[in-house]
Amino acid sequence: MRSSLLQVLAAAATIDVAASLAIPDTLVVHESRNTVTTGSKLAKRARVDKNVKLPVRIGLKANPESEAKAEQWLMDVSHPESAKYGQHWTQDDVIKAFQPTDEAVKGVKEWLTTVIKEDRITHTDNKGWFAFDATTEELEKLTNAKYYEHHDASTGRVLLATDEYSVPASLKQHIDLISPGVKGVQVKATDLATHQRRRGRRQYIEASSNPASSPTNLTTCDVSVTPACIQALYGFKALDPNCKVNKYNSLGVFESGDTYAQEDLNLFYKNFTQYIPQGTGPILKSVDGGHAPVTSIADAGGESDLDFELAIPIVYPQTTTLYQTDDDYYVSQNGAGTGDFNTFMDALDGSYCYYEGGNDKIDPVYPDNNPGGYTGKLMCGVYKPTNVISISYGDQESNFTPFYQQRQCREFLKLGLQGVSIFFASGDDGVGGPTDVNDNGCIGKDKKVFSPASPNNCPWITNVGATKIAPGKSVHDPEVAANDPKGHPYLDAYSSGGGFSNIYGIPWYQKDAVASYFENYSPPYDYYYNGDYNNSATGLYNRNGRGYPDVAAVGDAIAVYKGGNYHTSGGTSASTPIFASLINRIVEERLKSGKGPVGFINPALYFNPHMLNDITSGNNPACGVDGFYAVKGWDPVTGLGTPNYPKMSQFFNSLP
């Protein structure tokens, strides 16, 4: 009887770290741990038994012609000066444009069948993946690899992965990535509490009472940011609660492992708004067993409460749509560095299902018969994406292989082509990443190199950093970059995430802004190029990488109700739904005048920064240094600045 993945982890050989693979003439290394930072905290141990079954996925590259044109296609529909601005694609248009060539499909299949019988191989409907199960012995023979257990002491997870794998030289141009490969497949995980995916601080400063004497009080915004404070900061008013709105223009909000409490939302409305009825909440779009709201207020999720208590007062009577992902069992078992957002994108685009979601065991396989598991089928292409989506979750670039991140980033480009605006929180750890007992959040041999975030590194999404109202200042004074030292007031240090990717180069729409930043305000740190920090003696950041964030919004001292109590909280998790909500309002205005959504907004922002409030004070420390500083123009702390709603509305409504 063959052993299952979860049953067999016995060592088959002693680790020989120095040993190198003898690559046959017909094979070339396709992906290597030497060229990525994935698993920097993983300890390699025993060889994986030859009979362990692995879920193998061969990702095929899109048509080379499509790959070459993809960026231009997105710019055509996104650049405000383009004659094709706003002429977004359908999902069928996208699938047809990006499917691999017949030559690629034929060649890769012929190679696979040298080891795997043809009837064991599934080819996905969109032609992008070959999927099959194989024993470790078969996969190692096919790709000339050696698979080991990799243990993460900080999270308790175990990955089965290889340090490198090879493919035929003639097929390298056609293969995107092979999973599990360097990225690995998870076989054990611990509780989600050790996994710092959420961008929100999830730390709250509880107060005995709300300092605002009324919902419209603006005198205490430096200690408690309410809806009235946000309106005053960015120059907009609440919508007429009786106005007619487009039922198809709901603001999308992603959540996972964290669920809102309706009682908290009701308390927030009662204390801070005069126009939102009790019981108002998001429209639930459950993904693979996700459920909301919580049945007990004691189980309220701080991330979700924060998102909706910020977004709903901005967009109401427009609706919000909650994409609540994954069943209780899977969420409780998921570990760091194992893949985010895949089941969510499965639900939006059925052709993505074979990419990772549900078929890689990095993501769940349904039906899930574990206690609390979702017993239905994997949800593929069941929801049409909303025009605007706010995501306050993320991870670090160093936790995933470049191929994996590039494949997912391409999906964000495809959503942009379809007119979807995607906003990500830039992170709460300055130029570093989340810390734990074994890691200071920085990378490199000496743990001093700045750690870029993911998928914030992707050029095709809009990153939102955080600002704050300085102590003693008002909504009429310039904001500063969010930066709170450890213990003042949060348990951990908090500052607006920002920096430069080690994987992606500077996108063309950002080149002038980044060049101006370096020319006029060059940071006082050594740097390196092309993401090659492993061979840099002293460099701390990548000089020619995609910079982030793109924009910012207030994200500190935010008034919130959680678990029935009033608190103040902070994080770029707060900034992101604020900015996304304002864009959703602009989309509503455009729809009323017979126009379409704005889609990917970065080109419009970078070529028209006058519609934002430039932030020129503050910094984002980590890794033992001050980090970057907010300066005039774009910077890797607060981006181009915070919203000036009247100017943004006027500009986007002037476009076709």
Side-chain angles (χ1 to χ4, degrees):
M1 182 178 72
R2 293 196 174 190
S3 303
S4 70
L5 179 63
L6 296 178
Q7 291 174 328
V8 180
L9 291 173
T14 303
I15 299 174
D16 182 0
V17 177
S20 61
L21 298 176
I23 308 297
D25 292 339
T26 56
L27 297 180
V28 294
V29 173
H30 189 64
E31 195 172 9
S32 170
R33 196 176 297 276
N34 295 327
T35 59
V36 298
T37 58
T38 300
S40 57
K41 296 186 293 181
L42 299 180
K44 185 165 67 173
R45 296 184 183 173
R47 281 287 299 277
V48 180
D49 186 270
K50 66 179 182 178
N51 292 318
V52 169
K53 288 184 179 179
L54 299 173
V56 183
R57 306 296 175 256
I58 312 293
L60 303 180
K61 287 186 177 180
N63 187 317
E65 184 178 345
S66 298
E67 289 288 280
K69 294 180 178 180
E71 182 175 339
Q72 184 58 53
W73 287 338
L74 184 60
M75 292 307 105
D76 284 344
V77 299
S78 305
H79 196 294
E81 297 178 5
S82 169
K84 296 181 179 179
Y85 178 84
Q87 297 178 23
H88 297 115
W89 294 24
T90 67
Q91 189 177 92
D92 287 341
D93 292 335
V94 171
I95 292 175
K96 183 177 180 180
F98 285 90
Q99 67 182 23
T101 63
D102 292 340
E103 177 189 1
V105 172
K106 182 176 182 293
V108 173
K109 189 170 186 179
E110 288 178 350
W111 167 57
L112 296 179
T113 54
T114 62
V115 175
I116 309 297
K117 290 184 177 181
E118 186 173 354
D119 60 5
R120 291 169 53 191
I121 301 171
T122 298
H123 194 194
T124 62
D125 291 340
N126 73 327
K127 309 299 182 183
W129 288 84
F130 283 116
F132 55 91
D133 288 343
T135 64
T136 304
E137 183 177 39
E138 289 174 326
L139 183 57
E140 289 184 342
K141 180 180 180 181
L142 184 71
T143 62
N144 202 55
K146 291 182 180 179
Y147 276 80
Y148 292 88
E149 297 175 34
H150 292 74
H151 293 248
D152 188 334
S154 65
T155 65
R157 68 188 174 117
V158 178
L159 296 183
L160 305 186
T162 181
D163 287 340
E164 66 180 35
Y165 63 85
S166 301
V167 300
S170 60
L171 298 178
K172 185 175 177 64
Q173 62 180 322
H174 299 310
I175 295 174
D176 210 345
L177 61 85
I178 295 179
S179 176
V182 176
K183 173 172 62 66
V185 58
Q186 181 177 316
V187 295
K188 179 181 179 182
T190 55
D191 191 88
L192 187 63
T194 62
H195 183 18
Q196 304 183 54
R197 288 193 305 160
R198 290 189 287 275
R199 293 302 193 200
R201 303 311 301 160
R202 299 181 308 287
Q203 301 162 5
Y204 299 87
I205 308 304
E206 189 165 352
S208 58
S209 62
N210 167 25
S213 57
S214 74
T216 58
N217 181 27
L218 299 180
T219 64
T220 55
C221 292
D222 59 325
V223 295
S224 178
V225 176
T226 65
C229 299
I230 297 170
Q231 292 171 24
L233 280 172
Y234 303 134
F236 70 98
K237 296 180 179 180
L239 294 169
D240 180 346
N242 297 311
C243 70
K244 185 177 180 180
V245 295
N246 190 313
K247 66 179 181 179
Y248 299 110
N249 186 40
S250 185
L251 171 69
V253 180
F254 170 93
E255 304 288 354
S256 180
D258 187 282
T259 310
Y260 80 95
Q262 185 62 55
E263 296 91 335
D264 284 334
L265 271 58
N266 291 341
L267 283 168
F268 190 86
Y269 305 150
K270 178 181 177 181
N271 285 276
F272 294 118
T273 76
Q274 300 172 326
Y275 50 91
I276 302 177
Q278 295 287 287
T280 300
I283 301 166
L284 175 63
K285 300 292 186 182
S286 173
V287 179
D288 297 334
H291 58 82
V294 293
T295 55
S296 170
I297 194 171
D299 298 325
E303 179 65 58
S304 300
D305 275 359
L306 180 69
D307 284 341
F308 291 109
E309 289 172 16
L310 286 167
I312 291 176
I314 296 176
V315 303
Y316 185 83
Q318 296 176 41
T319 61
T320 56
T321 292
L322 166 59
Y323 296 106
Q324 189 78 44
T325 61
D326 298 315
D327 68 53
D328 290 342
Y329 179 81
Y330 171 65
V331 166
S332 71
Q333 295 297 309
N334 191 21
T338 58
D340 297 324
F341 317 117
N342 290 315
T343 53
F344 170 52
M345 286 188 282
D346 286 341
L348 299 185
D349 178 5
S351 71
Y352 190 77
C353 274
Y354 276 98
Y355 284 17
E356 297 293 339
N359 297 281
D360 194 343
K361 295 190 180 174
I362 269 184
D363 292 290
V365 175
Y366 295 118
D368 179 356
N369 295 318
N370 291 289
Y374 167 62
T375 56
K377 293 182 179 180
L378 180 73
M379 300 176 72
C380 297
V382 296
Y383 298 131
K384 185 181 188 303
T386 54
N387 293 320
V388 180
I389 299 174
S390 174
I391 303 176
S392 294
Y393 296 66
D395 218 306
Q396 296 307 111
E397 189 177 74
S398 59
N399 281 339
F400 304 98
T401 69
F403 287 175
Y404 174 83
Q405 294 178 74
Q406 289 159 1
R407 186 109 192 180
Q408 193 172 81
C409 182
R410 190 181 302 119
E411 293 307 305
F412 294 127
L413 183 151
K414 293 175 183 178
L415 286 172
L417 279 173
Q418 296 172 70
V420 180
S421 304
I422 305 171
F423 295 87
F424 271 93
S426 71
D428 301 339
D429 301 282
V431 295
T435 60
D436 57 42
V437 294
N438 299 315
D439 189 358
N440 68 353
C442 306
I443 57 178
K445 294 183 290 290
D446 300 321
K447 298 295 183 181
K448 295 180 179 179
V449 178
F450 301 165
S451 177
S454 175
N456 310 87
N457 52 1
C458 178
W460 317 127
I461 55 96
T462 303
N463 287 285
V464 187
T467 60
K468 65 184 293 184
I469 300 171
K473 299 297 183 179
S474 76
V475 293
H476 305 297
D477 296 307
E479 297 166 73
V480 301
N483 178 11
D484 297 319
K486 183 176 182 178
H488 302 279
Y490 306 111
L491 179 62
D492 294 329
Y494 156 48
S495 60
S496 180
F500 300 90
S501 171
N502 287 319
I503 295 177
Y504 298 96
I506 303 171
W508 74 268
Y509 62 78
Q510 193 186 53
K511 286 186 181 296
D512 289 346
V514 173
S516 177
Y517 169 73
F518 284 139
E519 180 180 356
N520 297 305
Y521 307 100
S522 187
Y525 312 118
D526 290 338
Y527 50 85
Y528 50 88
Y529 285 104
N530 304 321
D532 191 16
Y533 64 84
N534 283 320
N535 292 319
S536 173
T538 57
L540 298 184
Y541 70 95
N542 188 28
R543 188 75 165 190
N544 61 346
R546 189 272 205 254
Y548 73 96
D550 302 297
V551 293
V554 66
D556 206 352
I558 305 296
V560 62
Y561 273 87
K562 176 184 178 293
N565 298 311
Y566 167 75
H567 306 264
T568 56
S569 182
T572 53
S573 280
S575 312
T576 307
I578 292 173
F579 207 103
S581 295
L582 293 176
I583 294 300
N584 207 73
R585 284 181 48 144
I586 290 173
V587 172
E588 182 76 15
E589 295 168 3
R590 284 176 55 85
L591 293 175
K592 286 183 178 179
S593 61
K595 299 177 181 180
V598 293
F600 180 56
I601 66 171
N602 288 16
L605 296 174
Y606 278 90
F607 284 88
N608 299 274
H610 67 275
M611 58 177 150
L612 298 163
N613 306 313
D614 195 9
I615 306 300
T616 60
S617 179
N619 61 307
N620 57 354
C623 304
V625 297
D626 291 340
F628 300 113
Y629 279 83
V631 296
K632 186 176 181 180
W634 179 87
D635 54 70
V637 187
T638 59
L640 296 167
T642 61
N644 183 316
Y645 188 76
K647 291 183 178 180
M648 289 172 59
S649 175
Q650 180 181 25
F651 175 80
F652 281 107
N653 280 294
S654 72
L655 298 176

